[in-house]
Amino acid sequence: MQNYGIIGYPLSHSFSPVIHNMAFKSLGINAEYSKIEIKEENFERHVLSLKKGNWQGFNITIPYKEKIIPFLDKIDPISEKIGAINTIKVEEDGGWTGFNTDYIGFLKPIQSHIDKIKSCLIIGAGGAARAAVYGLSAKTKIEKMLITNRTIKRGQILVDQIKTFAKINCLFIDLTELKNEKEKVDLIINTTSVGMGAQKDKMPVDPIPFSYKNTIVYDLIYNPVQTQFLKAADSAGLNTINGLPMLIWQAEASFNIWTGKDFTSVLVNQLFKIL
Ligand code: ATR
């Protein structure tokens, strides 16, 4: 029996065990995928104990996508550029290799709009934001990025970093100053956790002032299916996308790294139906 798991905190909202356990079952792989919920104060000790256990791979989620990096033995070059990890493969020799599949999942639902996306507003500057920034800069013709974040320093660090690998006009805007910003953008993305769990009645930012009729409003949250952020956009007649497609497609990319196999189309259809 192989063992896989998702490391994060909290994990009560996570659909990843359902996805991967269905995938293992449908492909006849004898493996189990479990939740490994670790509080911040126990992180180092718990991760070091996982390194000694019988594990073949992990997913990493909020709030550890950056904090896990010092525990890796290798990191693939794209993931190093992104600076955040959501997948670990345990190699034959026990070494941990880190990957980022979030950017692959992030791009899938906007694939058909990719040529039209020239500007965006990104809310947040954590691991998910980094994956979105990389995906957009590598695969679209984006010219302008506005980034806002609760912690100013973290937002500014991300903006400075983007400038090292992409020729994009990239600006940080303080959350409190967003109300003075008049610019309309093609894509608005919420990468924060505002809109889920205890914060499910909140919006990270009101998307409407930054929207015009073709703006796509994309929330990386998948639970709830429609956040307040997406509700506001939907009520204004805007094109909205939730985090479910990204969740499913990043999971497939992780699964492929671990097993060399893709999800079947039957499984993908089933996942979209039940999740
Ligand atoms: P992930 O790796 O999934 O992106 P993360 O690195 O913990 O998770 O990042 C979470 C993002 O949500 C950050 O941009 C965080 O803002 P800070 O950099 O200020 O921590 C943002 N975030 C989380 N809770 C928030 C809140 N209550 N209000 C505003 N932003 C919040």
Side-chain angles (χ1 to χ4, degrees):
M1 161 86 88
Q2 296 186 346
N3 292 296
Y4 296 83
I6 179 162
I7 299 172
Y9 189 86
L11 288 177
S12 48
H13 69 282
S14 177
F15 289 166
S16 293
V18 172
I19 297 175
H20 287 290
N21 283 323
M22 275 178 70
F24 286 130
K25 201 168 169 201
S26 73
L27 288 160
I29 298 170
N30 185 19
E32 195 174 318
Y33 183 106
S34 50
K35 288 182 183 175
I36 307 164
E37 202 164 53
I38 308 179
K39 287 198 173 147
E40 299 242 30
E41 61 267 29
N42 301 328
F43 184 67
E44 180 169 351
R45 188 181 53 78
H46 203 141
V47 168
L48 291 174
S49 82
L50 289 172
K51 284 206 127 179
K52 296 190 200 123
N54 173 30
W55 295 94
Q56 282 66 45
F58 302 95
N59 281 129
I60 311 295
T61 190
I62 284 186
Y64 300 131
K65 287 180 183 174
E66 291 160 69
K67 290 200 181 100
I68 195 73
I69 292 175
F71 298 90
L72 301 173
D73 300 289
K74 273 196 284 179
I75 180 164
D76 102 294
I78 289 181
S79 313
E80 186 157 31
K81 210 180 228 182
I82 294 172
I85 290 300
N86 76 321
T87 304
I88 293 173
K89 180 179 186 196
V90 181
E91 307 289 356
E92 293 287 309
D93 65 1
W96 285 14
T97 307
F99 297 89
N100 190 303
T101 67
D102 279 337
Y103 84 95
I104 298 169
F106 166 79
L107 285 169
K108 281 265 188 169
I110 54 170
Q111 207 76 52
S112 58
H113 306 279
I114 252 165
D115 290 338
K116 291 179 229 135
I117 300 170
K118 298 276 160 53
S119 59
C120 72
L121 168 66
I122 298 179
I123 307 156
R130 285 167 174 275
V133 162
Y134 176 80
L136 290 169
S137 63
K139 306 286 179 194
T140 72
K141 297 185 175 124
I142 199 140
E143 293 162 0
K144 182 156 192 188
M145 280 185 187
L146 303 175
I147 296 185
T148 189
N149 194 48
R150 177 180 61 180
T151 307
I152 297 173
K153 183 102 197 287
R154 199 176 184 196
Q156 282 167 338
I157 289 172
L158 178 57
V159 166
D160 290 343
Q161 215 172 342
I162 295 166
K163 289 178 180 165
T164 66
F165 66 81
K167 282 203 183 77
I168 296 171
N169 177 6
C170 196
L171 288 176
F172 177 79
I173 304 176
D174 193 329
L175 260 182
T176 58
E177 281 164 20
L178 264 188
K179 57 182 179 306
N180 304 322
E181 188 57 49
K182 301 273 184 297
E183 192 151 337
K184 311 286 184 206
V185 293
D186 301 319
L187 176 66
I188 307 174
I189 312 153
N190 173 37
T191 74
T192 76
S193 47
V194 180
M196 64 189 253
Q199 307 197 76
K200 72 173 172 24
D201 297 324
K202 291 193 187 145
M203 265 201 285
V205 164
D206 180 0
I208 307 306
F210 305 96
S211 307
Y212 69 105
K213 71 175 176 26
N214 292 333
T215 298
I216 301 165
V217 180
Y218 189 174
D219 198 328
L220 306 193
I221 294 173
Y222 56 85
N223 183 10
V225 173
Q226 194 182 45
T227 56
Q228 294 299 328
F229 180 70
L230 290 190
K231 250 182 220 163
D234 193 41
S235 305
L238 300 170
N239 188 356
T240 62
I241 304 171
N242 72 9
L244 192 57
M246 174 172 170
L247 174 77
I248 292 173
W249 295 116
Q250 64 75 33
E252 184 199 44
S254 298
F255 192 84
N256 183 279
I257 287 168
W258 297 327
T259 66
K261 293 186 168 41
D262 293 332
F263 287 180
T264 62
S265 52
V266 172
L267 173 65
V268 171
N269 288 338
Q270 222 177 344
L271 290 171
F272 273 107
K273 240 180 251 164
I274 64 157
L275 294 177

